[in-house]
Amino acid sequence: MQSTRYIGRFAPSPTGPLHAGSLVAALASYLDARVHGGAWLVRIEDVDEGRSVPGAADGMLDLLRRLGMHWDGDVVWQSRRGALYQAAFDSLWEHAYPCGCNRREIADSRLGTAPDGSAIYPGTCRLGLGAGKTTRSLRLRVPEPGDDTVSFVDRFAGRVEHHLALDAGDFVLKRADGFWAYQLAVVVDDAEQGVTDIVRGADLLDSTPRQIYLQRLLGVPTPRYLHVPVLRNEQGEKLSKQTGAAAVTAHDEAGAVAALMDAARGLGLALAPAGSLDGFWRDAIPAWAALLSARGETI
Ligand code: GLU
């Protein structure tokens, strides 16, 4: 199953150990890369150094190895790539502006929250910092309502249309704590690593239009996207560190197979119980190909 150039990636944030929800995203991106005869990269998204937990990234890499998920090339660490983010920011300067607002002031404007939970920025500092304000963050100006539509076709969700001004507002490129924002770092890295296919959790679907807008401003290609459904706990909350999701473990081969079988079920892959890691991968790769074919994709 060799196809045109395909570069996929898994890009976990090391804010804690890998949990079942992140393993579903990892497995989907891995299977998709393998089915397309492509490369699968791993990038540690530790750009938010304040939230990175020491040792978490190494634990994730060790787990991926135990699960038989071997990545191509060297692991990339966002915390070492500040110069690339700065250069991208410099090329965006005419679309960016300093903002002196704090969280409370933004929340008080009551424009509501974007689908990802962040408060929509009312544009207070667009025309300059107000009297007595000092720069806290650097924001990207989005187009006015009417010119702000970004649409794309997600391989699972289908056509997605989003209005940047109303759904997100001017968004942060460099945060008040001095760290580069996820939206900028992820776009710069995907472009610099030549990523052609992004397969990740549906919790990031609402970030994709902002990322596509940044890609356009930076003049880099837009990859294909596939957002897989996120796992939820019994309360209907997305599995995450905040909702207390348990760490995935794989102390031995049987444990590794069990973790992978769970993740495969999360993707809707009905696999016969596997007795070994090799057996799991032998079944899972064609099962993912069959799932794509059933959805009308040609591989
Ligand atoms: N680092 C992000 C996360 O762990 C994922 C970023 C991405 O796949 O674009 O939620």
Side-chain angles (χ1 to χ4, degrees), residues 218-236:
L218 290 168
V220 299
T222 290
R224 283 178 291 262
Y225 286 97
L226 190 168
H227 288 86
V228 292
V230 294
L231 289 190
R232 299 191 178 274
N233 64 18
E234 278 153 21
Q235 288 73 45

Side-chain angles (χ1 to χ4, degrees), residues 67-92:
L67 297 173
M69 298 172 76
H70 302 294
W71 55 87
D72 297 294
D74 292 333
V75 172
V76 160
W77 300 73
Q78 285 189 328
S79 55
R80 302 175 193 167
R81 292 162 72 83
L84 285 173
Y85 310 141
Q86 180 70 55
F89 177 80
D90 290 346
S91 74
L92 293 170

Side-chain angles (χ1 to χ4, degrees), residues 9 11-13 43 45 182 186 190 198 200 203-204 211:
R9 56 37 159 207
S13 303
R43 179 171 74 232
E45 298 214 318
Y182 157 70
V186 77
D190 285 330
I198 293 181
R200 60 185 178 189
D203 52 322
L204 291 165
Q211 294 172 16

Side-chain angles (χ1 to χ4, degrees), residues 23-37:
L23 184 57
V24 169
L27 179 62
S29 68
Y30 182 83
L31 289 174
D32 204 55
R34 293 297 173 246
V35 160
H36 289 91

